[in-house]
Amino acid sequence: MRKSILFLTFLCLQAGALRAQVTLTERAAARTDFELVTADGTAAVCYDAADAAVVGTAAGLFAADVARVTGREIPVVDGSELPAKTRCAVIVGTVGQSRWIDELAAAKKIDVTPIEGGWERYTLRLVDRPGHGLRKALVIAGSDRRGTAYGLLSVSRAIGVNPWYWWADAPVERRDRVTLRVADYTSPTPSVKYRGIFINDEDWGLYRWAKENFEKELGNIGPKTYEKVCELLLRLQANYLAPAMHDATTAFYKIPENRVIADRYGIAIGSSHCEPLGLNTASEWDSKTMGEWDYVNNRAGVDRVLKERVETSAPYENVYTLALRGLHDRAMAGSEDLNARKATMQEALLAQRQTLADVLGKPAEEIPQVFTPYKEVLDVYNRGLQLPDDVTIIWPDDNYGYMKRLSSPEEQKRSGRSGVYYHSSYLGRPHDYLWMNTTSPTLMYEELRKAYDSTADRVWLLNAGDIKSCEFAVDFFLAMAYDIDAFDFRRAAGYRAEWMSGLLGREHFDEFREISDAFYHLAFVRKPEFMGWGYQWATDKHGKERNTDTDFSFANYREADRRLEAYAQIAGRVTSLLERMPEKDRACFYQVLYYPVKACELLNRMVLRGQQNRRYATQQRAATDALAAESRMCHDSLQVITAGYNALLGGKWDHVMTMNQGFASSYFQLPELRSAQLAPRAVLGVEAEGEDVMKGLQSYHMLPAFNTFLRRSYFVDVYNKGGGPLQWNAEASDDWIVLSRTAGTTRTGERIEVSVDWSKVPVGDAVSGCLTIKSAGGESRRVLVSVFNPASPAREEVQGLYVQHNGYISIPAADFHRKRENDAIRIRQIPNLGIENTAIQLGDPTAPKQNTRRREVPCVEYDFYTFEQGSVDVYTYVLPTFVISADRGYAGHEATNLETQYGVCIDEGPVMNPSTSSIEYAQIWYESVLRNCRVNKTTLHIGKPGRHTVKILCGDAGTVLQKIVLDFGGMKRSYQGPPPTRAE
């Protein structure tokens, strides 16, 4: 049985509250206890029918929630007449709009002065003898309509009804009685004024699900779907929706009931960056009756249609988008000259603003308006477009989670302040990601926190795709928007486990956390949609993605093997959890953890085994066909578990989940698979670890050098190239060469782990040996063994240092030896982020830029030991973040203000200044966003062998460092770079 009582404080934390408001208790034992449902009766829910519609909506939702928990109906009273024998009530209402609340305030039973005039605040009190014959009342007073609703629905959450009870099928624990322990509580003002989602790229999931399943009678997304969306937003303490706008979907305003439903749930309607004043140009603009969508040649027609839209939406709460882009999210048609575009857009925006003032009959500065400089519109804005001061600038990310621009010091003075438009799903170049939301929570927090600290507190809009698969991102985004100060990097890293525990119970929290940590780390390194390794729309000849081998190496650093092992480990854990889950919890668990983890594992295995199959075919390995079969099995299993998702709960979600999303993707397709031409009888083949280039490089086999300072093992694959069983044996030239196996019989292949007995190996810089592998057929292959076991330095002398190994040194950013900080710059660790799963941030992103040439500049230092001298290539792996604003108030002599900078140096040598930023849609940006990492090469010099220090210096504050590799000429090809080489 779920430990509900102990878990409720945890649930309140999910809502963004810093302290418990209402918790469950077993029985009434204190004055602060309130009996909502007892063995012989229930409390009533009382509100004023004259209050806002959303208050009545919330009262109905709350009553239904009590029924979900107890199976018993509680009365909902919208006047003053209570059912006979009612002794307890939940009284809910808005200050100044509810007779219940105003009477209690006048009688000084409650104090509403702390929330009067506030934005979406509420106060919660337990009141004895509130009148109307009641013995006790739980009173929830709101500063406005949504504050009132949030307060009441926070009690729903406390009794065990999760906001995701419908969208993620979170189970509700049944209880015979419900007794609440109530603490006086007054909610803070939400961090962000308007907080919501944009339903986008809905064609492959939500649209098909609504058309073929949930709203078959309409055959499209309509009022039934929007009612569920709006209920979810209200329960998540959000208030803003940009409806679906693809041309397959019926436009929101074409169905009048849609806007009535939104108002009933207190949700303000906005629109995406390309829908001026809420007009869905993708499906509502009819060139036959309205003329061309061309503001230069059809201004009167455009202005007329936009005015009609404002007249339609005027009775309801809206946040109006000022915009002028092409139809359906395309660039504005017309002149290629930016000045001409700026002039046209300037006229259009001012005309839209005047339309708002004329139709709504109030000054324009009193009407919520937003402007999003998305894609090419940012270029127009940068050319000098003048926005009225009260218009909120919504800064977009680059579609891959990195904020392109934030308010400059001058823009931060604007009365309209700013907001963010952030993606958890995207369709576009260089590659879309619509299937699985895997955006790192710590990356989201890092980017959104710096936006908030730069005045982005008016509107937060999340591109939530189809909602399904983006459930966690929606919850996390809106929780931060409601109370950003309730989060830090540590909580962000653990929030998925916290969220799932809120859905399924605290008893699995530790396992949820460990699985989520690995899941996000693996996907940060490479999203599942990017595993095809292709680009989309890279040429007009062929816009579809063309899959290739990945850059994960099977030969070097066991990179591909380690990825497959990590996925297999968490896939095994979620499979075990699914089998152990109670039946009532399985549908929820399948959606929020099993399917995401297992599907990503299957896709990675399908792709990587396909790559290995093609490699084996080149080597003519007998195991080639087995790998092809495994890849096919993964492909088929993906279809099975996806169908299983759609079949949950009798087909509730049928058609919502598909891998075939987007029209240019092919990552999900069965990879090219090959067969090997095998000899009739067994033929011996050998591959040593590190043999990436298989032909034309060397005519002998050789393992990477064994290093006494690291003491690692390497593999040798003994494989069969023929149809019969291969008998083999292996013999080492020296007794210090240790083999995990020395003989075997195989139809495909076997792996020998080779290590060194360091108590027997000779001392020397170039100790050598070999192992000889022979087959029963008389074939023989030698594998050379090199050992680096110098007399000096002693292992103790370099312990804890990063040591040169096989021609490179690899350093995880978080494991520095020293850091230097100042009053403005603090070095912060970011868990569950980066190639090595912990990154470091060089100062708060809003802190002043530092001069990397100064002696005392903040930095992190890493001590290393090398046996080389001369040039060394230093690779730094950083987050591909942008310059925080166009005008950072900094213009130093012989320095750039156009790109980010951080410093790299060795010892007291020269400082070089690579960048994290690039021009969007440049090749380096393509590569960086697909791998969540910009890799910069800096060539420096080392004067002599021995101990040295590499330093990463703070230039632009907020730079996030993932990893450092020093290459002396030995680094092999890989995707993530070599593993760390810290001496043990």
Side-chain angles (χ1 to χ4, degrees):
M1 179 178 175
R2 191 171 296 113
K3 300 178 180 66
S4 300
I5 298 170
L6 297 177
F7 188 53
L8 286 168
T9 300
F10 179 78
L11 289 177
C12 290
L13 274 174
Q14 263 203 309
L18 293 176
R19 54 192 180 277
Q21 308 164 28
V22 176
T23 55
L24 279 175
T25 185
E26 286 295 341
R27 61 185 59 85
R31 289 190 61 194
T32 56
D33 293 343
F34 177 78
E35 293 182 309
L36 182 63
V37 177
T38 64
D40 56 358
T42 70
V45 183
C46 304
Y47 74 98
D48 189 337
D51 210 333
V54 70
V55 177
T57 299
L61 292 175
F62 178 73
D65 291 341
V66 174
R68 289 185 181 95
V69 173
T70 67
R72 297 170 65 183
E73 300 289 335
I74 64 171
V76 178
V77 178
D78 64 1
S80 58
E81 294 296 324
L82 293 169
K85 299 182 181 180
T86 302
R87 293 294 175 261
C88 295
V90 177
I91 298 174
V92 60
T94 309
V95 176
Q97 298 181 43
S98 167
R99 181 164 45 83
W100 288 94
I101 297 302
D102 293 347
E103 285 178 358
L104 287 167
K108 300 193 181 304
K109 295 282 188 178
I110 60 171
D111 180 9
V112 298
T113 54
I115 65 170
E116 282 185 300
W119 179 263
E120 296 180 347
R121 300 185 67 189
Y122 63 90
T123 188
L124 187 149
R125 297 289 186 273
L126 195 59
V127 177
D128 290 324
R129 305 296 176 187
H132 298 271
L134 294 169
R135 186 177 71 249
K136 188 175 287 190
L138 173 58
V139 179
I140 302 163
S143 63
D144 53 23
R145 61 175 183 155
R146 281 190 292 265
T148 305
Y150 295 162
L152 182 57
L153 292 175
S154 73
V155 183
S156 282
R157 191 177 284 208
I159 67 174
V161 179
N162 192 282
W164 294 95
Y165 81 94
W166 193 86
W167 279 96
D169 300 297
V172 177
E173 184 180 356
R174 297 297 294 267
R175 304 177 66 86
D176 293 330
R177 60 174 62 215
V178 176
T179 302
L180 305 175
R181 183 152 291 168
V182 181
D184 289 352
Y185 178 78
T186 299
S187 71
T189 302
S191 299
V192 178
K193 187 171 186 179
Y194 287 104
R195 313 166 301 282
I197 64 170
F198 170 33
I199 300 171
N200 192 30
D201 301 317
E202 69 278 6
D203 310 48
W204 298 275
L206 198 70
Y207 165 74
R208 294 190 317 125
W209 168 78
K211 178 183 179 182
E212 303 292 341
N213 187 348
F214 193 61
E215 294 198 74
K216 292 178 72 171
E217 66 283 357
L218 180 66
N220 214 302
I221 295 173
K224 283 181 63 178
T225 303
Y226 280 121
E227 180 156 23
K228 290 300 184 182
V229 172
C230 290
E231 179 189 341
L232 175 68
L233 292 175
L234 183 65
R235 288 180 180 272
L236 291 173
Q237 297 175 307
N239 58 13
Y240 184 50
L241 173 66
M245 50 74 70
H246 276 210
D247 49 10
T249 303
T250 301
F252 182 83
Y253 281 103
K254 283 190 175 180
I255 304 176
E257 189 181 349
N258 286 341
R259 53 188 182 268
V260 174
I261 285 171
D263 186 66
R264 197 163 71 227
Y265 284 87
I267 303 302
I269 295 299
S271 58
S272 69
H273 53 84
C274 57
E275 298 176 88
L277 304 187
L279 180 73
N280 183 345
T281 59
S283 61
E284 292 190 275
W285 187 266
D286 183 358
S287 57
K288 294 180 180 178
T289 60
M290 300 173 181
E292 293 301 316
W293 178 254
D294 180 347
Y295 202 71
V296 174
N297 299 305
N298 187 23
R299 174 173 178 169
V302 171
D303 287 346
R304 175 179 54 80
V305 174
L306 294 181
K307 182 180 180 182
E308 291 171 356
R309 171 46 37 84
V310 177
E311 290 170 341
T312 299
S313 63
Y316 306 97
E317 184 179 5
N318 299 274
V319 177
Y320 290 98
T321 298
L322 305 182
L324 187 66
R325 295 196 71 205
L327 296 178
H328 198 131
D329 197 13
R330 294 185 177 90
M332 181 176 69
S335 172
E336 295 281 326
D337 180 76
L338 270 180
N339 287 324
R341 286 196 175 196
K342 182 192 74 173
T344 301
M345 186 172 289
Q346 189 80 65
E347 291 178 10
L349 300 190
L350 291 176
Q352 290 169 25
R353 186 171 167 85
Q354 188 61 51
T355 295
L356 290 173
D358 292 344
V359 174
L360 300 180
K362 61 173 72 173
E365 56 269 21
E366 296 179 10
I367 303 168
Q369 297 157 72
V370 298
F371 170 78
T372 304
Y374 183 71
K375 291 191 176 180
E376 83 289 342
V377 179
L378 180 58
D379 296 328
V380 177
Y381 175 77
N382 288 338
R383 187 52 67 104
L385 184 74
Q386 296 299 305
L387 278 182
D389 195 63
D390 59 276
V391 174
T392 299
I393 303 175
I394 297 186
W395 299 114
D397 68 344
D398 65 349
N399 305 309
Y400 294 88
Y402 299 94
M403 298 305 301
K404 287 173 58 177
R405 165 87 177 272
L406 295 171
S407 295
S408 68
E410 193 62 32
E411 288 164 333
Q412 290 182 28
K413 300 174 185 177
R414 302 177 72 258
S415 63
R417 297 174 73 84
S418 66
V420 294
Y421 170 45
Y422 200 81
H423 287 76
S424 61
S425 172
Y426 179 63
L427 172 67
R429 199 176 286 161
H431 199 291
D432 52 50
Y433 56 102
L434 302 172
W435 174 47
M436 195 73 68
N437 172 250
T438 55
T439 302
S440 162
T442 45
L443 174 64
M444 288 178 68
Y445 174 75
E446 186 273 330
E447 290 293 295
L448 292 167
R449 178 80 224 199
K450 75 181 179 186
Y452 179 82
D453 290 339
S454 302
T455 71
D457 61 4
R458 289 297 174 88
V459 178
W460 276 24
L461 183 64
L462 179 72
N463 185 322
D466 282 331
I467 301 179
K468 296 301 291 178
S469 101
C470 290
E471 297 101 327
F472 168 73
V474 168
D475 193 291
F476 181 50
F477 180 88
L478 295 177
M480 286 193 292
Y482 186 80
D483 188 357
I484 187 71
D485 291 328
F487 288 87
D488 56 18
F489 281 121
R490 186 165 299 280
R491 189 178 182 211
Y495 192 72
R496 182 152 187 157
E498 183 179 325
W499 177 69
M500 288 188 296
S501 295
L503 301 171
L504 293 161
R506 176 76 181 183
E507 57 265 35
H508 300 297
F509 176 80
D510 289 339
E511 198 156 11
F512 288 162
R513 181 177 56 191
E514 291 165 4
I515 293 168
S516 297
D517 184 90
F519 174 75
Y520 281 116
H521 177 218
L522 290 163
F524 177 86
V525 171
R526 195 75 177 189
K527 284 184 179 294
E529 294 92 341
F530 302 165
M531 284 299 294
W533 235 260
Y535 292 90
Q536 295 171 348
W537 305 289
T539 168
D540 290 339
K541 300 175 186 175
H542 196 300
K544 193 175 180 67
E545 172 189 17
R546 286 169 284 182
N547 295 343
T548 67
D549 283 357
T550 77
D551 288 347
F552 290 108
S553 177
F554 281 97
N556 300 322
Y557 315 128
R558 308 196 188 199
E559 186 177 51
D561 290 328
R562 285 189 287 117
R563 185 171 179 86
L564 287 166
E565 288 167 8
Y567 262 125
Q569 198 271 339
I570 60 173
R573 293 181 76 172
V574 296
T575 301
S576 175
L577 275 170
L578 181 66
E579 292 168 352
R580 295 177 355 235
M581 282 281 161
E583 184 62 34
K584 64 184 177 62
D585 295 353
R586 286 192 177 187
C588 179
F589 181 76
Y590 198 106
Q591 295 168 67
V592 301
L593 194 63
Y594 174 77
Y595 183 80
V597 171
K598 184 62 178 175
C600 286
E601 184 263 337
L602 287 169
L603 183 118
N604 273 264
R605 185 149 54 112
M606 178 186 78
V607 170
L608 290 174
R609 291 306 187 205
Q611 174 179 328
Q612 195 175 23
N613 157 268
R614 296 187 294 274
R615 191 170 192 271
Y616 277 18
T618 302
Q619 296 173 306
Q620 296 180 310
R621 292 199 190 198
T624 301
D625 287 349
L627 288 171
E630 183 177 352
S631 183
R632 289 190 190 95
M633 181 275 293
C634 292
H635 178 268
D636 294 345
S637 296
L638 275 167
Q639 315 312 312
V640 170
I641 67 167
T642 302
Y645 190 117
N646 290 323
L648 290 170
L649 302 171
K652 174 181 176 181
W653 297 113
D654 195 19
H655 300 291
V656 84
M657 185 57 63
T658 177
M659 294 189 63
N660 187 9
Q661 292 182 319
F663 41 80
S665 295
S666 55
Y667 66 89
F668 53 86
Q669 293 177 353
L670 184 68
E672 177 192 355
L673 300 172
R674 300 173 185 167
S675 294
Q677 299 299 315
L678 302 182
R681 292 182 296 276
V683 175
L684 175 66
V686 168
E687 179 185 355
E689 183 170 345
E691 292 183 348
D692 195 18
V693 179
M694 292 182 288
K695 295 182 180 180
L697 178 64
Q698 57 196 32
S699 56
Y700 54 87
H701 300 289
M702 182 173 67
L703 287 168
F706 291 88
N707 186 326
T708 187
F709 303 109
L710 297 177
R711 300 193 171 183
R712 293 173 178 168
S713 67
Y714 302 105
F715 69 77
V716 173
D717 280 348
V718 179
Y719 60 88
N720 189 3
K721 299 196 288 183
L726 171 69
Q727 292 182 330
W728 64 272
N729 65 78
E731 182 179 356
S733 63
D734 300 272
D735 63 355
W736 48 264
I737 300 175
V738 181
L739 308 181
S740 63
R741 59 179 67 188
T742 57
T745 301
T746 179
R747 288 192 171 275
T748 53
E750 294 180 311
R751 176 162 287 187
I752 305 172
E753 290 290 343
V754 183
S755 57
V756 168
D757 185 340
W758 294 100
S759 66
K760 295 180 180 180
V761 69
V763 174
D765 289 0
V767 179
S768 62
C770 71
L771 59 124
T772 303
I773 302 169
K774 296 180 180 179
S775 72
E779 300 162 294
S780 179
R781 299 285 186 273
R782 296 178 68 209
V783 180
L784 303 182
V785 176
S786 299
V787 176
F788 185 63
N789 188 30
S792 177
R795 293 187 72 228
E796 294 75 17
E797 292 179 57
V798 299
Q799 188 173 9
L801 304 183
Y802 294 98
V803 178
Q804 180 185 326
H805 174 63
N806 277 289
Y808 63 84
I809 293 172
S810 182
I811 303 170
D815 291 340
F816 49 82
H817 289 96
R818 288 169 302 283
K819 62 179 179 178
R820 183 165 61 226
E821 301 172 320
N822 62 24
D823 291 342
I825 302 298
R826 292 286 182 266
I827 310 300
R828 304 188 289 187
Q829 287 200 1
I830 306 179
N832 200 205
L833 189 72
I835 291 173
E836 302 295 341
N837 206 28
T838 305
I840 61 167
Q841 186 174 51
L842 305 179
D844 188 287
T846 59
K849 183 181 176 79
Q850 307 292 298
N851 188 336
T852 60
R853 291 181 295 175
R854 290 181 179 169
R855 185 175 297 275
E856 298 302 319
V857 66
C859 67
V860 282
E861 300 182 354
Y862 307 85
D863 297 333
F864 65 91
Y865 197 98
T866 178
F867 307 94
E868 307 293 337
Q869 63 185 32
S871 295
V872 57
D873 291 331
V874 181
Y875 292 89
T876 45
Y877 297 64
V878 292
L879 280 191
T881 50
F882 289 84
V883 173
I884 198 168
S885 71
D887 177 12
R888 296 181 289 169
Y890 171 83
H893 177 58
E894 296 180 348
T896 178
N897 200 30
L898 301 178
E899 63 177 10
T900 63
Q901 288 186 324
Y902 62 96
V904 181
C905 71
I906 293 178
D907 300 328
E908 299 304 319
V911 175
M912 303 306 290
N913 290 280
S915 176
T916 70
S917 63
S918 65
I919 300 170
E920 194 176 14
Y921 297 103
Q923 180 179 331
I924 187 64
W925 175 80
Y926 270 28
E927 296 168 356
S928 297
V929 295
L930 291 179
R931 65 190 298 158
N932 276 316
C933 183
R934 175 161 173 173
V935 183
N936 292 313
K937 185 178 87 169
T938 303
T939 302
L940 298 174
H941 191 81
I942 294 176
K944 61 181 180 180
R947 180 170 177 158
H948 298 275
T949 300
V950 60
K951 303 175 184 179
I952 308 299
L953 314 170
C954 180
D956 279 284
T959 295
V960 177
L961 179 68
Q962 303 182 42
K963 180 172 181 165
I964 308 162
V965 176
L966 285 73
D967 181 17
F968 299 90
M971 184 169 70
K972 295 290 191 74
R973 283 197 320 178
S974 68
Y975 179 64
Q976 297 173 247
T981 60
R982 189 164 187 154
E984 302 166 353

